[in-house]
Amino acid sequence: MIKTSLTSFIKAKQFEDALKYLDNLPQALQKEFVMENAYILHRNGNNKKALAKLQTLKDDTSYQYQHLLAQINYKLGKYDQSVSIYEGILNSNTEGMEGEEPLDQDEITDITTNYLACQSSVQKSSQQDVKKFLQQYCSESGFEQTYEYFFNLS
């Protein structure tokens, strides 16, 4: 019931209502929805609080945790950290993430697009390094080269 309510708030982009809903839950239940809380804070533009909330799950190695952590770091201007996290996600996907299914095509497209956005904000990366990275992780998967891909690549 709680997860369904949170999902409804998120899909309707009612982030303030979602935060109020979470705040009204008993403390013990709030601890079960830390990831959702961090995501809602992130989507509401409160990335410092989202990062603090997410870091309480520091032992989490799931794709969802890593992806949200990278997105929050990007919004906070920590591009190097985001790049590193996205590279780690793609490396883990290639090697097989323990206890998780391989990323599907949409997830790979999303991660790669975000990776390119981060790379474009990092001064030290060369276009040749980025292309090499993309060939390594995206060529075999039939990666879809979207408008966002080309925009972020430029």
Side-chain angles (χ1 to χ4, degrees), residues 90-108:
L90 291 170
N91 277 326
S92 295
N93 188 57
T94 302
E95 297 166 1
M97 295 180 285
E98 188 175 319
E100 293 196 43
E101 294 291 318
L103 300 177
D104 66 29
Q105 196 55 52
D106 289 338
E107 291 168 325
I108 291 172

Side-chain angles (χ1 to χ4, degrees), residues 70-115:
Q71 289 177 325
I72 291 169
N73 277 307
Y74 177 81
K75 291 291 188 177
L76 292 173
K78 299 176 182 178
Y79 307 118
D80 285 333
Q81 290 178 359
S82 292
V83 165
S84 178
I85 293 167
Y86 284 129
E87 287 174 351
I89 291 171
L90 291 170
N91 277 326
S92 295
N93 188 57
T94 302
E95 297 166 1
M97 295 180 285
E98 188 175 319
E100 293 196 43
E101 294 291 318
L103 300 177
D104 66 29
Q105 196 55 52
D106 289 338
E107 291 168 325
I108 291 172
T109 299
D110 190 33
I111 293 297
T112 305
T113 301
N114 291 352
Y115 168 80

Side-chain angles (χ1 to χ4, degrees), residues 8 12 14-15 25 29-30 33 36-37 39 69 74 92 96 100 106 110 112 120 124 129 143:
S8 296
Q14 297 174 332
F15 304 118
L25 292 175
L29 280 176
Q30 286 182 24
F33 296 97
E36 291 85 350
N37 195 340
Y39 178 78
L69 183 61
Y74 177 81
S92 295
E100 293 196 43
D106 289 338
D110 190 33
T112 305
S120 69
K124 66 181 180 181
D129 290 341
F143 170 70

Side-chain angles (χ1 to χ4, degrees), residues 129-144:
D129 290 341
V130 172
K131 284 183 180 180
K132 181 181 174 186
F133 180 82
L134 292 175
Q135 287 174 342
Q136 181 179 355
Y137 294 105
C138 301
S139 61
E140 294 177 13
S141 66
F143 170 70
E144 182 182 349

